[in-house]
Amino acid sequence: MHRLVNKRILLGVTGGIAAYKAADLVRRLQDVGAQVRVVMTQGACEFITPLTMQALSGHPVHTTLLDPTAEAAMGHIELARWADLVLIAPASANFMARLAHGHGNDLLATLCLATGAPIAIAPAMNQQMWADTSTQKNLLILQEKGIKIFGPGSGSQACGEVGAGRMLEPLEILQQAAEVFDYQLLTGKHVVITAGPTREAIDPVRYITNKSSGKMGFALAEAAAEAGARVTLIAGPVNLPTPSRVDRVDVTRATEMYDACMKAVEEGCDVFVATAAVSDYRPTVTADHKIKKSTEEIHLTLVKNPDIVASVAEHAKRPFTVGFAAETRDVVAYAQGKLVNKKLDMIATNDVSGSNVGFNSDNNALTVIWPGGHKVLPLASKAQIAKQLIELIAIRYKD
Ligand SMILES: Cc1cc2nc3c(=O)[nH]c(=O)nc-3n(C[C@H](O)[C@H](O)[C@H](O)COP(=O)(O)O)c2cc1C
């Protein structure tokens, strides 16, 4: 079931008596970490209300194709692109016919034409309808088109007959949906990543910060999610959009970032990557009001902030812990020391003395060090570097 974590399932519901079971299916999919959006045919709306499906999925239910307001919100092409899997449960005999023959006469049928995602159907109908030669011919066409067929099961039916045509139970559908997806490098793992700078307030309008843009951490979050992980991104103040499939926690001060990280580790995570440039010090006192210009000199006293990555590494529920070291000289030697002193599993280090890598740049180059080995990741975009680093982490984590 881990394979469904973060997967985007577009659940199509068609007009059959088993439509009520789609409500349970939504819950089951969400329970295993999938994101679910529901599309219903007009027929399905006669059996179960869109309101029920909306309440369960937590998102608006899509029912009509030729509706300008719906198109302006999340249009059919956008929905078709959004999906990792289009799952139609129950699939009526009528819908199977439409799907087999490429009809685009309602939202769900059009979505199926427009999507590049795999399509799976869980047929549900009276045993005679299932055995009918038209339905069986349509089934062959659907199989030839590569559409996955889940079930149907057989047994006693709502109409009082006995035979093949019952929709599989939601748990069985869930199992088969999971098998559509391959295991990925970080399938089923929870990865926590910190990113960006922190801001340490001097007074209500002034603060100490640094040049970190958060780009490296955000790229890593995206790469980890693409590798199948559940990702929590703990971000300092940055101006970046949240990568898709990533849960973001926004913080400002180092102490807030520390609290958010400790909470994530307490709750249990598998990998922790500290890319944030956390302020080492904060003003001992934050003035309640704006400090006025008066004397020639003012003195600011600073106090040390907690060391987040070291605290994570010595936690009883310690995840695989990866640190970052941005240095301007003796880069590798300093990182080696940090790896040992902070008891990290891996450290990624970069030279931020130039402007073509590191802070704020779109590119980076890293030397990744772990006990007994290292690898150089030469200059590339932060997205490419992130992918390579996630691969290294996944390999080392398994060792
Ligand atoms: C009470 C009732 C139950 C039905 N149950 C089913 C069913 O289980 N499977 C099916 O294929 N059609 C069933 N039908 C027929 C479909 O609702 C009908 O073919 C409809 O046009 C399907 O529309 P859709 O495929 O666009 O959702 C049922 C009809 C009624 C009146």
Side-chain angles (χ1 to χ4, degrees):
M1 297 301 178
H2 285 325
R3 282 181 270 188
L4 286 169
V5 171
N6 263 335
K7 290 291 180 285
R8 294 164 170 172
I9 311 296
L10 199 141
L11 179 63
V13 185
T14 70
I17 206 76
Y20 75 96
K21 289 191 183 177
D24 187 29
L25 184 56
V26 170
R27 295 301 292 266
R28 304 272 182 186
L29 285 163
Q30 287 176 330
D31 285 350
V32 295
Q35 298 179 33
V36 185
R37 299 284 187 281
V38 180
V39 173
M40 296 171 74
T41 63
Q42 292 305 314
C45 298
E46 299 294 327
F47 290 86
I48 180 168
T49 68
L51 189 62
T52 300
M53 300 303 275
Q54 178 176 314
L56 288 170
S57 68
H59 294 280
V61 169
H62 307 267
T63 54
T64 40
L65 177 62
L66 305 173
D67 174 354
T69 356
E71 274 295 297
M74 196 176 189
H76 70 286
I77 299 291
E78 209 180 327
L79 272 170
R81 285 197 194 123
W82 175 87
D84 293 321
L85 170 68
V86 177
L87 170 62
I88 297 146
S92 66
N94 175 50
F95 191 78
M96 283 178 65
R98 290 195 278 133
L99 188 59
H101 297 284
H103 290 198
N105 54 347
D106 73 356
L107 177 62
L108 186 56
T110 309
L111 269 171
C112 290
L113 291 174
T115 193
I119 301 174
I121 62 168
M125 65 200 72
N126 159 277
Q127 54 90 24
Q128 198 56 54
M129 287 173 85
W130 176 250
D132 183 84
T133 50
S134 301
T135 306
Q136 288 303 309
K137 276 187 190 157
N138 290 334
L139 176 66
L140 284 178
I141 296 172
L142 292 173
Q143 282 167 330
E144 265 172 29
K145 286 170 91 156
I147 287 169
K148 296 170 201 311
I149 317 291
F150 297 169
S154 66
S156 63
Q157 300 198 299
C159 54
E161 296 178 15
V162 178
R166 276 170 61 110
M167 187 172 89
L168 293 185
E169 292 305 318
L171 268 180
E172 295 171 300
I173 295 176
L174 199 67
Q175 187 69 51
Q176 299 207 15
E179 282 164 20
V180 171
F181 299 100
D182 292 331
Y183 263 102
Q184 292 170 278
L185 277 175
L186 290 173
T187 292
K189 302 293 171 227
H190 182 199
V191 177
V192 177
I193 297 170
T194 66
T198 61
R199 268 184 201 164
E200 311 301 325
I202 297 169
D203 69 14
V205 295
R206 302 183 181 96
Y207 49 78
I208 299 170
T209 191
N210 58 60
K211 287 169 72 177
S212 169
S213 64
K215 286 178 186 168
M216 192 64 231
F218 276 59
L220 271 170
E222 190 164 0
E226 271 168 18
R230 176 162 82 83
V231 183
T232 304
L233 175 62
I234 301 172
V238 292
N239 194 13
L240 294 171
T242 310
S244 59
R245 302 162 209 261
V246 167
D247 294 326
R248 174 169 172 176
V249 179
D250 283 314
V251 295
T252 304
R253 299 163 180 242
T255 47
E256 286 170 2
M257 188 171 274
Y258 174 86
D259 291 343
C261 292
M262 287 303 125
K263 184 167 175 269
V265 172
E266 257 329 305
E267 287 169 359
C269 65
D270 302 288
V271 176
F272 181 87
V273 190
T275 68
V278 183
S279 279
D280 290 329
Y281 293 90
R282 66 178 182 276
T284 312
V285 248
T286 302
D288 287 338
H289 298 284
K290 188 180 167 196
I291 299 169
K292 294 286 174 211
K293 183 162 57 172
S294 52
T295 51
E296 279 305 309
E297 280 183 3
I298 60 166
H299 294 271
L300 208 55
T301 315
L302 303 177
V303 62
K304 225 178 191 173
N305 272 323
D307 187 328
I308 297 177
V309 76
S311 307
V312 170
E314 66 189 17
H315 195 281
K317 290 187 179 173
R318 174 188 205 287
F320 184 89
T321 309
V322 183
F324 258 74
E327 296 299 329
T328 51
R329 58 186 171 153
D330 300 334
V331 179
V332 172
Y334 179 78
Q336 289 273 18
K338 201 167 165 184
L339 179 77
V340 175
N341 297 340
K342 299 196 180 189
K343 301 188 181 67
L344 306 180
D345 296 295
M346 187 181 260
I347 190 158
T349 176
N350 60 350
D351 185 338
V352 289
S353 55
S355 60
N356 61 337
V357 294
F359 287 145
N360 234 324
S361 159
D362 288 327
N363 298 322
N364 211 351
L366 297 176
T367 302
V368 186
I369 307 168
W370 58 88
H374 77 280
K375 187 170 168 114
V376 175
L377 306 181
L379 185 67
S381 72
K382 283 187 174 169
Q384 285 168 312
I385 292 281
K387 250 188 196 161
Q388 295 173 47
L389 182 57
I390 287 295
E391 269 176 38
L392 270 180
I393 290 173
I395 293 165
R396 299 294 315 157
Y397 172 68
K398 280 190 188 124
D399 280 355

